[in-house]
Amino acid sequence: MADNKRYDSQLDGAQFDTLAVRAGHKRSNEHEHGEAMFMTSSYVFGSAQEAAAIFGGDQAGNVYSRYTNPTVRMFEERLAALEGAEQCVATASGMSAIFSTILALLNPGDHILSSQNIFGSTNVMFSKYVSKLGIEVDYVDLKDVDAWQAAIKPNTRMLFLESPSNPLNEVGDIRALARLAKAQNALLVVDNCFCSPALQQPLKLGADIVIHSATKFIDGQGRCLGGAALGRSELMEEVVGVLRSVGPSMSPFNAWVMLKGLETLKIRMKAHSENAMALANWLTEHPNVKSVYYAGLPTHPSHELAKTQQSGFGGVLGFEVEGGREAAWQVMDSTRLVSITANLGDARTTITHPATTTHCRLTEEQRLQAGISDGLIRVACGLEDIEDIQRDLSFGLANL
């Protein structure tokens, strides 16, 4: 690799926008300006002795791209810089980041206490697959700190939450939950997908580990899958061990795409938030909208707490219409510009019906406990002109 000492020194004390563009970049001997894409499965060693030293960890170097790749490492270092983490471990998806973290850090007989307001696939992972590892999982109201305290057991080793939640924008008190976790000698894990480090940095609020579905806002254009776990090196090295042995790895190509996404993250998150705020206000005034769920609204129960933890409110909101699934589907099917898809964090606005998509594998009782009604619609605001987004939604809303 080229001499990067002068380059790295320019990042001492650098601000978020600079880190998003420059952090982690290591130039090769070709002196390229953009990040290089190392599309290789393995690496060549100068001798058998060098191979043994690197494989054994006695000498630094790349071993195998399942867990050591220069392009993936650049992405990891950049995201770690933005989150204020000692180390980042990139994975194939956000779901694999969660599962790898649990597999690395918990044991049979341990207990996870999770908020009930989590992504449907995370709930299924906990109840169907994590339980096979002999790990208990219980659920509490994200917003009720007293409920968290009451539900902690002697074997609780992890508190897990999404904040803001999907899709109701409920917010957990990360500082208070961090204190509970510390008193229990448990880990506080926060899924930061909705805010990204551009709007919220949970480690600075006391969390131990941050999880990302990089597929969403970090990529920002719906191009590929990726995930990440971030925290102290002593914890993340255990997660690296899972990558080495199990292999839920991020590909070099996807890492290169994510690096490009990070360069514009803060600018995009500002635009997503502005569109979501304008849409939330517009929906609040619409006569055919029953409720709007967006933490940026002063009427949202989590508004004041969100202001203390977040620098913005993000691009995702929910709203409810009378008439259940039939009415919700009518609104969605009347759109012509907005994309009907369950992804979010895209430059293009997306719309979905959580009860029959993202949370469809939950029982009806579980959906109701999580506030997922049949009339609920989720919108992830993209970067189109807000008037065009509003006009597209107005066709279906006008006919309810």
Side-chain angles (χ1 to χ4, degrees):
M1 301 292 279
D3 184 357
N4 288 284
K5 291 182 180 178
R6 176 180 175 275
Y7 179 78
D8 288 342
S9 69
Q10 302 304 309
L11 298 180
D12 293 343
Q15 301 300 306
F16 188 98
D17 290 339
T18 303
L19 294 172
V21 174
R22 298 280 186 174
H25 187 176
K26 297 293 187 295
R27 297 189 177 113
S28 74
N29 289 324
E30 299 301 326
H31 305 288
E32 68 279 351
H33 186 232
E35 296 87 356
M37 192 189 305
F38 289 87
M39 296 296 291
T40 182
S41 58
S42 63
Y43 306 88
V44 176
F45 307 102
S47 67
Q49 181 180 359
E50 182 184 51
I54 293 175
F55 263 80
D58 298 322
Q59 180 178 326
N62 296 308
V63 177
Y64 195 68
S65 279
R66 185 170 63 243
Y67 70 105
T68 53
N69 178 277
T71 309
V72 176
R73 187 158 53 247
M74 283 190 276
F75 168 71
E76 290 172 333
E77 291 182 5
R78 184 169 298 177
L79 185 55
L82 298 182
E83 280 285 9
E86 288 183 4
Q87 187 173 345
C88 169
V89 181
T91 62
S93 67
M95 299 307 300
S96 65
I98 297 171
F99 192 74
S100 297
T101 299
I102 291 170
L103 193 59
L105 299 172
L106 298 186
N107 297 303
D110 287 345
H111 174 242
I112 298 173
L113 187 57
S114 171
S115 59
Q116 63 188 19
N117 316 72
I118 55 176
F119 181 42
S121 291
T122 307
N123 189 299
V124 172
M125 178 204 294
F126 285 168
S127 61
K128 188 173 182 179
Y129 299 106
V130 170
S131 61
K132 291 183 178 181
L133 303 176
I135 297 171
E136 298 179 75
V137 185
D138 286 316
Y139 301 91
V140 292
D141 187 330
L142 171 65
K143 309 179 301 301
D144 190 343
V145 176
D146 290 338
W148 286 87
Q149 173 74 77
I152 288 176
K153 300 179 178 180
N155 60 333
T156 301
R157 292 293 173 264
M158 180 178 289
L159 276 60
F160 182 93
L161 65 143
E162 293 176 12
S163 187
S165 70
N166 178 10
L168 299 180
N169 262 241
E170 295 179 336
V171 175
D173 190 333
I174 296 174
R175 293 183 181 89
L177 295 177
R179 290 192 292 269
L180 290 182
K182 185 176 181 180
Q184 177 63 22
N185 195 28
L187 298 170
L188 178 62
V189 180
V190 178
D191 186 325
N192 197 28
C193 175
F194 269 31
C195 280
S196 87
L199 302 182
Q200 179 174 258
Q201 295 167 319
L203 297 177
K204 294 183 178 178
L205 300 171
D208 296 289
I209 297 172
V210 170
I211 296 291
H212 281 290
S213 172
T215 308
K216 310 303 192 297
F217 290 108
I218 287 175
D219 170 23
Q221 296 186 51
R223 296 169 290 192
C224 57
L225 300 178
L230 303 95
R232 299 189 302 277
S233 292
E234 64 190 81
L235 300 175
M236 293 302 102
E237 283 302 320
E238 295 298 321
V239 183
V240 171
V242 172
L243 256 67
R244 182 169 187 169
S245 300
V246 181
S249 314
M250 178 180 284
S251 74
F253 177 80
N254 287 12
W256 185 85
V257 172
M258 301 296 178
L259 275 163
K260 297 291 100 182
L262 286 176
E263 291 180 354
T264 59
L265 178 62
K266 191 171 183 179
I267 296 169
R268 288 186 289 105
M269 292 307 296
K270 182 175 185 293
H272 286 300
S273 298
E274 289 173 352
N275 271 355
M277 188 74 252
L279 183 63
N281 282 318
W282 179 79
L283 288 167
T284 298
E285 298 299 322
H286 199 287
N288 292 336
V289 173
K290 178 181 177 182
S291 302
V292 181
Y293 304 98
Y294 185 62
L297 294 172
T299 53
H300 192 283
S302 297
H303 179 69
E304 292 303 321
L305 177 59
K307 288 197 301 183
T308 72
Q309 297 184 165
Q310 303 167 204
S311 60
F313 300 104
V316 184
L317 58 90
F319 68 95
E320 194 170 358
V321 294
E322 297 280 7
R325 186 178 75 174
E326 182 179 352
W329 282 14
Q330 177 182 317
V331 172
M332 294 172 61
D333 290 345
S334 298
T335 60
R336 295 295 178 266
L337 175 73
V338 173
S339 304
I340 301 176
T341 179
N343 195 30
L344 60 93
D346 201 305
R348 301 166 182 82
T349 297
T350 66
I351 190 168
T352 195
H353 184 243
T356 53
T357 59
T358 58
H359 293 70
C360 69
R361 290 190 290 170
L362 302 185
T363 65
E364 182 178 1
E365 182 182 359
Q366 287 174 320
R367 288 197 298 272
L368 291 176
Q369 286 177 345
I372 310 297
S373 72
D374 285 344
L376 181 67
I377 298 169
R378 189 191 74 190
V379 175
C381 287
L383 305 180
E384 305 96 339
D385 188 284
I386 185 58
E387 292 185 3
D388 292 327
I389 299 171
Q390 291 169 348
R391 182 170 64 252
D392 200 43
L393 290 172
S394 69
F395 299 139
L397 287 171
N399 294 318
L400 291 180

